[in-house]
């Protein structure tokens, strides 16, 4: 790990011979081709048109690799030294696609742009360091090709991903985001914000002890978060519903549930009862309006209807807690 962070055991780029520079370029083009094909595979099910773009970009990288191999064969023979990105100090790295899944279409496009920009800079620097005219010419041409890949990607997108298809893909990605993160998070926030109102305010008005009230709120919030998280994971594996990873949904639900309860439990760390209670009520007010906003923004629920439902429900639970606490 330390060798990757501090570069121990890596060669400086300036120390590479022309043969080693060519070998590095060959392995880099091979890796980029694999990454583009992995992107294509990862996008094929949900975004088949964009997947074709990355398939053609992979073929372009294959052409670059073949040109570099041919040049190496002419100058240095058949044996290509084993040198890869991780062997060179300061050289750019690539994240394999399995580290960035699920593949969001815009994220992949940004990754591809970064890859082409880094490859362009590499070929520019490599060309400066070679004295052979044919090698320098090929590296310069490859630098221009990488610089022009943004235009290539745009042309391929116009070919495979016309405006209507791009809009459809964006809508599909938005739907997946809502199903995997927004819906579970909203359910958790609602449960955490509303269901913990009664025990927290009941404890507050029954004891008038702010710290004991905080402990009740902390226990209720964390307990609800754990319960809701495991319930979400166990209720749906996402395969038939298309709601995505149950682990991601469970974590989202659990975290938002805990945060919803902790929001109005934390004010009771203040040792003054009425100050803490008034602040907790203010926090509850903003929590409930935030829930209404999210429902309106992502679930397309009319704002005033969402506000009425959430605020009415929260007010009833709050009243129940105060009445029980004063009993």
């Amino acid at each position: 790990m330390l060798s990757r962070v501090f570069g121990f055991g890596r060669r400086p780029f300036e120390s590479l011979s022309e043969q080693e520079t060519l070998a590095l370029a060959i392995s880099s083009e091979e890796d980029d081709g694999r990454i583009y094909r992995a992107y294509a595979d990862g996008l094929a099910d949900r975004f088949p048109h964009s997947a074709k773009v990355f398939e053609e970009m992979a073929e372009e990288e294959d052409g670059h690799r073949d040109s570099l191999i041919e040049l190496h064969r002419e100058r240095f023979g058949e044996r290509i030294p084993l040198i890869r990105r991780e062997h060179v100090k300061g050289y750019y790295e690539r994240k394999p696609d399995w580290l960035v899944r699920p593949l969001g279409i815009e994220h992949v496009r940004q990754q591809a742009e970064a890859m082409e920009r880094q490859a362009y800079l590499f070929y520019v620097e490599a060309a400066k360091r070679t004295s052979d005219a044919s090698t320098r010419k090929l590296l310069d041409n490859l630098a221009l090709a990488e610089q022009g890949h943004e235009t290539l990607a745009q042309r391929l997108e116009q070919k495979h991903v016309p405006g209507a298809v791009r809009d459809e893909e964006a809508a599909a990605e938005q739907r997946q985001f809502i199903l995997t993160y927004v819906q579970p998070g909203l359910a958790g926030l609602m449960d955490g914000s509303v269901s913990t109102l009664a025990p927290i305010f009941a404890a507050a008005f029954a004891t008038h002890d702010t710290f004991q009230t905080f402990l009740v709120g902390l226990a209720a919030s964390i307990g609800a978060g754990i319960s809701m998280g495991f319930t979400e994971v166990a209720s749906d594996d996402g395969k038939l519903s298309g709601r995505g990873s149950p682990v991601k949904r469970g974590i989202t639900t659990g975290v938002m549930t805990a945060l919803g309860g902790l929001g109005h439990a934390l004010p009771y760390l203040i040792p003054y009862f009425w100050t803490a209670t008034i602040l907790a009520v203010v926090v509850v007010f903003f929590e409930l309006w935030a829930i209404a906003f999210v429902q309106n923004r992502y679930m397309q629920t009319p704002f005033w209807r969402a506000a009425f439902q959430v605020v009415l429900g929260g007010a009833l639970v709050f009243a129940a807690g105060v009445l029980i606490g004063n009993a």
Side-chain angles (χ1 to χ4, degrees):
M1 178 65 181
L2 289 176
S3 64
R4 291 179 66 84
V5 174
F6 296 104
F8 299 146
R10 291 184 173 191
R11 291 271 304 276
F13 180 68
E14 296 76 14
S15 71
L16 300 183
S17 66
E18 290 190 22
Q19 182 182 16
E20 290 169 331
T21 301
L22 276 178
L24 177 60
I26 291 168
S27 67
S28 296
E29 293 290 351
E30 288 177 342
D31 288 347
D32 285 355
R34 291 191 186 100
I35 290 172
Y36 284 141
R37 286 193 172 86
Y39 285 168
D41 291 341
L43 296 171
D45 291 338
R46 291 193 296 145
F47 309 111
H49 297 280
S50 288
K52 293 177 183 177
V53 172
F54 289 101
E55 286 284 2
E56 292 200 27
M57 292 185 73
E59 293 173 6
E60 182 82 4
E61 300 301 309
D62 290 346
H64 293 177
R65 179 204 59 200
D66 293 343
S67 299
L68 289 163
I69 290 175
E70 185 59 34
L71 178 61
H72 186 280
R73 182 179 289 117
E74 292 173 2
R75 292 199 60 200
F76 303 109
E78 297 290 335
R79 296 182 184 272
I80 302 174
L82 177 59
I83 181 166
R84 306 181 70 85
R85 292 186 175 103
E86 58 267 26
H87 302 152
V88 180
K89 195 175 191 178
Y91 198 66
Y92 60 85
E93 295 184 354
R94 300 280 195 247
K95 284 187 178 181
D97 73 293
W98 51 268
L99 285 179
V100 294
R101 285 181 182 267
L103 298 179
I105 187 65
E106 288 303 324
H107 175 74
V108 170
R109 286 175 181 141
Q110 291 169 8
Q111 286 288 105
E113 289 175 7
M115 287 170 64
E116 301 305 334
R117 184 167 58 252
Q118 291 167 346
Y120 163 74
L121 294 173
F122 163 70
Y123 283 123
V124 168
E125 292 301 316
K128 292 177 183 176
R129 300 184 58 258
T130 184
S131 57
D132 179 75
S134 60
T135 303
R136 187 182 185 103
K137 181 179 179 181
L138 176 60
L139 294 175
D140 282 335
N141 288 340
L142 288 174
L144 291 174
E146 298 292 351
Q147 190 178 34
H149 267 190
E150 183 176 355
T151 303
L152 171 65
Q154 291 173 354
R155 290 201 308 270
L156 291 175
E157 285 204 1
Q158 289 173 359
K159 173 183 175 183
H160 295 297
V161 193
V165 173
R166 190 182 181 101
D167 292 342
E168 182 181 334
E169 289 184 344
E173 187 169 36
Q174 177 74 356
R175 284 194 300 272
Q176 190 63 56
F177 173 75
I178 290 172
L179 289 172
T180 305
Y181 295 104
V182 176
Q183 279 187 349
L186 182 61
L189 185 59
M190 291 177 67
D191 185 84
S193 298
V194 176
S195 68
T196 58
L197 286 175
I200 290 175
F201 286 101
F205 282 90
T207 66
H208 282 251
D209 185 324
T210 58
F211 187 68
Q212 294 301 319
T213 301
F214 167 73
L215 292 180
V216 170
L218 181 65
S221 301
I222 293 177
I226 294 171
S227 174
M228 285 287 288
F230 275 99
T231 299
E232 181 65 34
V233 171
S235 65
D236 181 9
D237 63 8
K239 292 180 180 177
L240 295 179
S241 65
R243 297 178 65 216
S245 165
V247 174
K248 290 181 179 178
R249 297 193 332 266
I251 291 173
T252 301
T253 304
V255 169
M256 294 307 295
T257 301
L259 289 177
L262 286 172
H264 44 270
L266 288 174
Y268 282 99
L269 286 172
I270 299 171
Y272 305 104
F273 175 76
W274 284 110
T275 302
T277 299
I278 291 170
L279 181 58
V281 170
V282 171
V283 171
V284 170
F285 175 82
F286 282 105
E287 285 175 347
L288 297 180
W289 282 101
I291 292 169
F293 171 79
V294 173
Q295 283 187 318
N296 173 254
R297 171 69 175 80
Y298 290 101
M299 313 305 293
Q300 279 145 29
T301 305
F303 181 78
W304 291 110
R305 191 176 83 185
F308 176 76
Q309 293 171 343
V310 173
V311 173
L312 177 62
L316 291 173
V317 177
F318 172 77
V322 173
L323 289 172
I324 293 171
N326 284 314

